[in-house]
Structures are given as structure tokens and as C-alpha cells.
Amino acid sequence: MEHISNGISKQKLKAFTLTEVLVVLVIVGILVLLALPNLLPLITKAKSTEAKIQLEHLYTLERTHFYEKSKYSSDLPAIGFIQEKLVTESETGQANYQIEIIEASTTGFTAKATAVADFDGDGVYNVWQIDQEKNLQEVTPD
């Protein structure tokens, strides 16, 4: 049995060199850059799901408000809708869409979700809209 002095072993450990690690990182970086343009539409589609879900939730709240008060509301807090913190507002923000009610009356309402970030970098912000008939449509594709 070999004696170890001061807790230091004289045996060599097998490991990767710094050069090998850097080469692997460069190769992975190049592969990511090649794949990213193909993934952007998928990322945009995934993020637009947030807008759809939020607008469908808003639709449910508006319908409930209509059954109680016989009119639709233009006030988000009055119907119980809480806008999550936007990604542009703070580090803890997670919402990618600003939700707002465009119009509300005794016969109907229109609400929209506007993206606060340009998902694909083309200068166009994604916008979705819903009305009292639950017609959900993409007004401005990104």
C-alpha cells in the first residue's frame, strides 16, 4: 500500500485537457447556430400558446361577469384577471404578452394580447385577439 503524505496522491488522474473541452464547446456552438433559424418558428408557436391560454381565460372571466352583471367589463381587475409580470418589467417577470380589453359593452367585448418581445427579431410583435363569441385569431403574426 502506497503511503500518501499530506493528503496528496502521486497517481495521475485521467481527464480532458482544456484544449479538448474548448474544441467540443466550439463544435456545439456551431451546431446551435446552424439549428437556431430552424427552431425560431417553433419557439414563436410555443410562446403564442401563452397568448391563447390567457385570452381564453379572459373570455371565461368576461362571460362570468356578463352572467352576473348583464354587461361586459373593460376593467381587468374588476373581472378578476391578474396580469402576470412581463419579461420586460423585471427579472422575475415571465409573461410574454400584455393583455388588454379593447372594448366592452352590454353586447360584446374585444380583448387582445400583444407580445412585449420580438420573438424572431424581424421588428413585428405578435398580436392575438378574442371576442364574446370566443373567436380567437392571430391579428399580427410574428
Side-chain angles (χ1 to χ4, degrees):
M1 191 180 251
E2 185 179 324
H3 178 66
I4 299 174
S5 62
N6 296 336
I8 299 174
S9 174
K10 303 262 185 196
Q11 295 177 336
K12 269 192 159 182
L13 297 175
K14 290 186 177 186
F16 295 108
T17 65
L18 180 60
T19 307
E20 291 170 330
V21 172
L22 289 176
V23 167
V24 169
L25 288 175
V26 167
I27 292 171
V28 168
I30 291 170
L31 291 174
V32 167
L33 288 175
L34 291 174
L36 192 60
N38 296 331
L39 294 176
L40 281 176
L42 184 61
I43 293 168
T44 301
K45 185 177 180 181
K47 289 189 177 185
S48 68
T49 302
E50 174 190 339
K52 294 177 196 177
I53 290 171
Q54 290 295 328
L55 287 175
E56 287 175 356
H57 176 61
L58 179 68
Y59 167 82
T60 303
L61 293 172
E62 281 283 12
R63 293 298 292 178
T64 303
H65 186 270
F66 179 78
Y67 293 139
E68 292 174 357
K69 313 272 186 191
S70 297
K71 65 179 180 176
Y72 294 100
S73 175
S74 60
D75 185 21
L76 291 173
I79 61 172
F81 186 86
I82 299 169
Q83 172 70 55
E84 296 291 325
K85 285 186 181 178
L86 300 172
V87 293
T88 55
E89 289 179 343
S90 70
E91 291 179 13
T92 60
Q94 295 181 351
N96 292 298
Y97 287 87
Q98 174 72 46
I99 309 297
E100 60 185 315
I101 300 171
I102 300 170
E103 63 176 320
S105 66
T106 57
T107 58
F109 78 95
T110 306
K112 74 175 182 175
T114 306
V116 296
D118 183 10
F119 303 131
D120 59 6
D122 65 355
V124 177
Y125 291 82
N126 190 227
V127 178
W128 285 82
Q129 191 169 300
I130 197 166
D131 63 14
Q132 73 282 351
E133 301 296 325
K134 203 175 183 180
N135 296 320
L136 181 64
Q137 62 183 356
E138 188 176 27
V139 178
T140 309
D142 185 17

